[in-house]
Amino acid sequence: MDTIVEADVKPFIQVTEVWVPKDGILELAAGSYGDLAEFEEASRRTSFAKGEGLPGKAWAEQRPVVLKGFDGSYFKRTEAAAEAGLTAAVAIPVFARKELKAVLVVLCGDDENRTGAIEIWAEQDGLLMLDDGYYGAARHFEWVSQHTHFPKGQGLPGGVWSAQAPMLFRDLGSGYRFIRADSAGKAGLTTGLGLPISVPGGVTYVLTLLSARGTPIAHRFEMWDARAERVGAEPSAVLADGICAREGALWTGEAEPEKRIKAWHGLIGRALGTGVPVVESGMPALTAGYDTMVALPIHKDGTVSHVVAWYV
């Protein structure tokens, strides 16, 4: 990623929302909308029953869902999305075993300069195949991805599958570990974040977020490890990996002093304590210099094993 954060860089993701179940419906708990005030207002007036709209579909089908066109679809806020220039969305359900904790929804616009990737990989016959994805202007990379599959342990999706833990890849265009390096380099993709998505029924899903310099998904990524073998009995998490456009690597190895966050302390601690994604915009609690922060808890066997955060 670039060594500085450029003020005029447009983010790949324009809206991020957290929908939580309450009395049998999904209600908006938090969101980051930038200057899309009318779409925010429409969202605050909306709720979703199970199976209704994009969040409700992810809840009912117990899987991540990609929607690359709103017209004529089950998307409920089509008119408001069109006025805001939003054209695609991804819904990621957050389950603790069979309990739905929340649905994280990200929405993007489509133009000739907006490049990045949000991919859903699903296990099929012993391989991870592309279930669906949104790529913006990265059309060739999308085609390559549709014709690529991963055995356990190979590439970013296969590595996440094998480890059952988040992974962060740097220098996608030149990294030998990234199977699609050549096409990633041509698309300008630089950083890849892979996340295991736990759903009832044991189906394997991996979410990958691939960030480009010109329209980054985030300027800063952090991976916090909350597994008992790493932190002991105390409900806390330690920084396991991270990268920042300004600072470079945020964690360089076991010799570095441990960075630890306790449950309920700060935004990362809130995601760890509640098991629910956190989205904050323009708050003093954010790391200086960022407008929006998203913290996504990763559940394994009913507890939070990791918290992954990104900052824009």
Side-chain angles (χ1 to χ4, degrees):
M1 299 178 74
D2 293 332
T3 56
I4 60 172
V5 176
E6 299 177 24
D8 59 349
V9 167
K10 294 182 179 180
F12 185 68
I13 295 173
Q14 292 175 267
V15 171
T16 304
E17 304 174 321
V18 178
W19 298 86
V20 297
K22 182 179 179 181
D23 299 328
I25 62 172
L26 290 173
E27 295 185 347
L28 184 66
S32 170
Y33 295 88
D35 58 0
L36 303 180
E38 292 184 5
F39 185 77
E40 178 179 3
E41 180 59 29
S43 300
R44 296 194 181 282
R45 296 194 305 265
T46 305
S47 61
F48 299 94
K50 191 172 186 178
E52 183 182 28
L54 181 62
K57 185 178 179 68
W59 180 14
E61 298 188 0
Q62 300 182 341
R63 66 180 182 91
V65 179
V66 178
L67 184 57
K68 291 182 281 191
F70 298 153
D71 288 343
S73 75
Y74 51 82
F75 193 78
K76 285 184 64 173
R77 297 166 285 165
T78 300
E79 184 176 341
E83 292 176 357
L86 301 169
T87 57
V90 181
I92 304 145
V94 179
F95 282 96
R97 291 199 171 100
K98 295 182 179 181
E99 178 192 0
L100 181 77
K101 305 291 286 188
V103 178
L104 181 73
V105 175
V106 299
L107 298 103
C108 306
D110 193 3
D111 60 52
E112 61 183 11
N113 298 316
R114 203 175 297 275
T115 298
I118 306 172
E119 303 174 315
I120 305 297
W121 298 86
E123 189 273 330
Q124 180 179 332
D125 298 327
L127 296 170
L128 281 182
M129 313 291 288
L130 184 67
D131 185 66
D132 209 343
Y134 176 69
Y135 296 84
R139 306 300 185 198
H140 178 69
F141 185 77
E142 179 176 8
W143 183 89
V144 170
S145 301
Q146 290 169 343
H147 294 82
T148 303
H149 56 263
F150 295 94
K152 185 177 286 189
Q154 186 179 68
L156 179 57
V160 171
W161 183 17
S162 177
Q164 288 296 296
M167 297 183 72
L168 186 62
F169 274 20
R170 295 131 165 100
D171 301 322
L172 298 185
S174 58
Y176 71 93
R177 296 169 65 198
F178 194 72
I179 305 302
R180 298 166 286 165
D182 181 64
S183 55
K186 292 176 180 177
L189 300 171
T190 57
T191 305
L193 178 65
L195 312 173
I197 304 299
S198 177
V199 298
V203 179
T204 296
Y205 287 102
V206 173
L207 169 72
T208 52
L209 305 175
L210 309 180
S211 190
R213 286 189 179 90
T215 52
I217 285 176
H219 297 298
R220 177 186 178 105
F221 294 96
E222 298 173 351
M223 292 188 349
W224 296 84
D225 192 337
R227 291 174 294 185
E229 58 266 31
R230 186 71 186 268
V231 299
E234 182 183 23
S236 62
V238 296
L239 185 65
D241 201 357
I243 188 170
C244 175
R246 297 171 185 160
E247 305 167 43
L250 301 177
W251 185 85
T252 57
E254 298 292 345
E256 184 178 340
E258 184 177 79
K259 298 177 181 178
R260 180 182 292 257
I261 288 180
K262 295 181 179 180
W264 306 100
H265 287 228
L267 301 177
I268 301 293
R270 191 201 309 171
L272 175 61
T274 63
V276 174
V278 171
V279 177
E280 289 285 357
S281 295
M283 298 290 290
L286 287 181
T287 299
Y290 299 99
D291 294 326
T292 300
M293 178 265 210
V294 180
L296 177 61
I298 305 299
H299 291 259
K300 184 179 180 182
D301 300 327
T303 62
V304 176
S305 64
H306 297 81
V307 177
V308 177
W310 55 92
Y311 300 76
V312 182

